[in-house]
Amino acid sequence: MRIKHIILFLTTFLFSQIIFAQNNYSSPYIIDESETIDIPRDVTSAMDSLLYSYYAKHAKIGKCKRFGKENMDYPDSIYRKRLNALPYEMAMPYNPQVRAFIDMYAERRRNATENLLGLGNKYYFPMFEDILAKYGVPLELKFLPVIESALNPLATSPVGAGGLWQFMPSTGKMYGLQVTSLVDERRDPVKSTHAAARYLKDLYRIYNDWSMAIAAYNCGPGTVNRAISRSGGKRDFWSLYPYLPAETRGYVPIFVAAAYVMSYYQNHNLCPVEIDLPMYTDTVVVKNRLSFSDVASVLEIPVEDLRVLNPQYRKDIVPEGYALCLPTHYAAKFDKNASTIYDMCLVKQQCAVVPNEEISPAPIPKKTTATKTRIHQVRRGETLSGIADRYDVTVAQIKKWNGLRGSTVKAGQRLTIKK
């Protein structure tokens, strides 16, 4: 009898440990910690372009209580606990990939992250939340434009996706976004967010899972459906992980990392920059075609401010029936002087189109060859020379990419590799 009790106890204990592990491990697909991690296409280029944008050029250093200027590192248990504590509907798992992207935002791209925080917290996130709430979708989807466009409405990918939410022209048209020679509504912060909320809600109806929905947002429902077929019918992201394109495999982890850093930035000594954008705006529907230059002249407002608030107008011309976004105190002034502004446009024969530099006067030149960035986690016994040989790069390049002074690396250290 005593042996039976011992066997029963051990069986119960082992079963409870299995259940505990299943409830606490974030991903059913176990990721090899030595696996290289692809940063989703255009993420780094979008962050770089943000630093050259009108926003960043006119940003001020934020005023925060810091514990230092460097990133603060934490054990895995802390990251997992913080992600679990986020009051979000979507699952926020933690694994080596999520950690690698947290390090990207909190350490290697600190300057860009502080610009993202300034733009998001002051201007874009409240706008996104108001619209997402109207469609009953998770408010944490507001972080998608962080990884899609780095909150730059003028961001355009090499394949033609554009705007904050990076709509392709065909998908944008399906959701009511017009693209003409004068107007690109994919750049309109309000209209594009309405369209994105509807599109994401439709994707959720297909998969009944938000991680799957944003994966399909990245690579398209057709690609996700083919992955489901190859997997034998599995329908959750982490089970589909090995069957998805490399870029999409990194998409959900980088989304989780963005949500983490945007929520816990103070714990990493990150401080949002102060962006000179109006807290309150209003819109006026124009009755006749008008130009930014005429509005700026009459209202005594900089043309650049009009471009920042109205990125959808490609040639500084607002067609009849479209809305013009203005700081609240300028909207009333517009109403009083509307006839003067319209008359100025008529005198110029319907507002001649004048080329402008838009919001990003110094964009980063597009590279003629694609550069793939990978994250390598150092394993015990590895050396810089061995890692360099593995990726066919030089030790000097690895040291430059990672800001290393010496040639010593330690197990668990994450290194950026560019190919």
Side-chain angles (χ1 to χ4, degrees), residues 136-289:
V137 298
L139 301 187
E140 53 268 30
L141 291 172
K142 67 183 179 184
F143 299 124
L144 268 185
V146 170
I147 61 178
E148 284 287 347
S149 63
L151 299 180
N152 183 356
L154 298 183
T156 303
S157 77
V159 296
L164 288 163
W165 297 85
Q166 289 291 282
F167 273 102
M168 292 294 291
S170 57
T171 309
K173 187 175 181 180
M174 287 173 54
Y175 287 88
L177 300 177
Q178 295 184 349
V179 179
T180 70
S181 58
L182 292 181
V183 182
D184 187 345
E185 292 184 334
R186 296 176 303 167
R187 297 176 175 183
D188 186 316
V190 174
K191 289 185 178 180
S192 67
T193 303
H194 278 283
R198 289 165 51 208
Y199 184 32
L200 286 161
K201 193 168 186 176
D202 287 344
L203 291 172
Y204 180 76
R205 290 193 185 103
I206 297 172
Y207 301 107
N208 199 36
D209 180 282
W210 283 112
S211 292
M212 290 283 285
I214 66 172
Y217 189 92
N218 172 252
C219 65
T223 302
V224 171
N225 292 341
R226 286 191 291 274
I228 291 173
S229 178
R230 290 196 298 270
S231 73
K234 297 175 181 178
R235 296 184 66 86
D236 68 273
F237 177 81
W238 294 106
S239 296
L240 284 182
Y241 183 91
Y243 304 97
L244 291 167
E247 177 187 337
T248 306
R249 289 202 297 269
Y251 197 70
V252 170
I254 200 171
F255 172 79
V256 174
Y260 170 89
V261 173
M262 295 294 114
S263 302
Y264 292 108
Y265 60 89
Q266 290 176 316
N267 297 94
H268 292 268
N269 286 322
L270 290 165
C271 185
V273 300
E274 294 184 4
I275 300 289
D276 189 19
L277 285 172
M279 184 71 71
Y280 301 103
T281 60
D282 202 351
T283 56
V284 293
V285 178
V286 306
K287 297 179 181 178
N288 294 301
R289 177 176 172 135

Side-chain angles (χ1 to χ4, degrees), residues 310-330:
N310 300 274
Q312 66 271 32
Y313 299 119
R314 306 170 72 174
K315 302 295 182 179
D316 286 3
I317 299 294
V318 185
E320 178 182 343
Y322 282 78
L324 178 68
C325 181
L326 294 166
T328 300
H329 58 286
Y330 281 102

Side-chain angles (χ1 to χ4, degrees), residues 364-380:
I364 294 178
K366 292 182 179 179
K367 295 181 179 179
T368 55
T369 57
T371 299
K372 180 175 288 187
T373 300
R374 296 177 179 272
I375 304 299
H376 176 84
Q377 186 168 24
V378 179
R379 306 178 77 173
R380 183 174 297 175

Side-chain angles (χ1 to χ4, degrees), residues 378 383-385 387 394-410 413 415:
V378 179
T383 62
L384 271 184
S385 59
I387 296 169
T394 66
V395 171
Q397 286 176 314
I398 296 179
K399 292 171 71 173
K400 179 180 178 181
W401 294 330
N402 295 274
L404 301 177
R405 294 183 179 179
S407 299
T408 303
V409 290
K410 58 182 179 180
Q413 186 175 349
L415 299 174

Side-chain angles (χ1 to χ4, degrees), residues 44-97:
T44 54
S45 61
M47 293 176 76
D48 287 335
S49 69
L50 175 66
L51 294 177
Y52 282 80
S53 71
Y54 177 82
Y55 308 111
K57 288 184 176 182
H58 291 75
K60 299 176 183 178
I61 298 175
K63 298 176 182 178
C64 297
K65 291 183 178 179
R66 301 176 188 250
F67 299 100
K69 295 183 179 180
E70 302 298 326
N71 175 41
M72 300 201 44
D73 203 6
Y74 298 93
D76 291 344
S77 59
I78 296 297
Y79 291 115
R80 184 174 289 108
K81 182 178 180 180
R82 288 175 180 168
L83 283 168
N84 288 337
L86 290 173
Y88 296 149
E89 177 181 346
M90 295 178 62
M92 294 288 167
Y94 179 78
N95 54 41
Q97 286 195 320

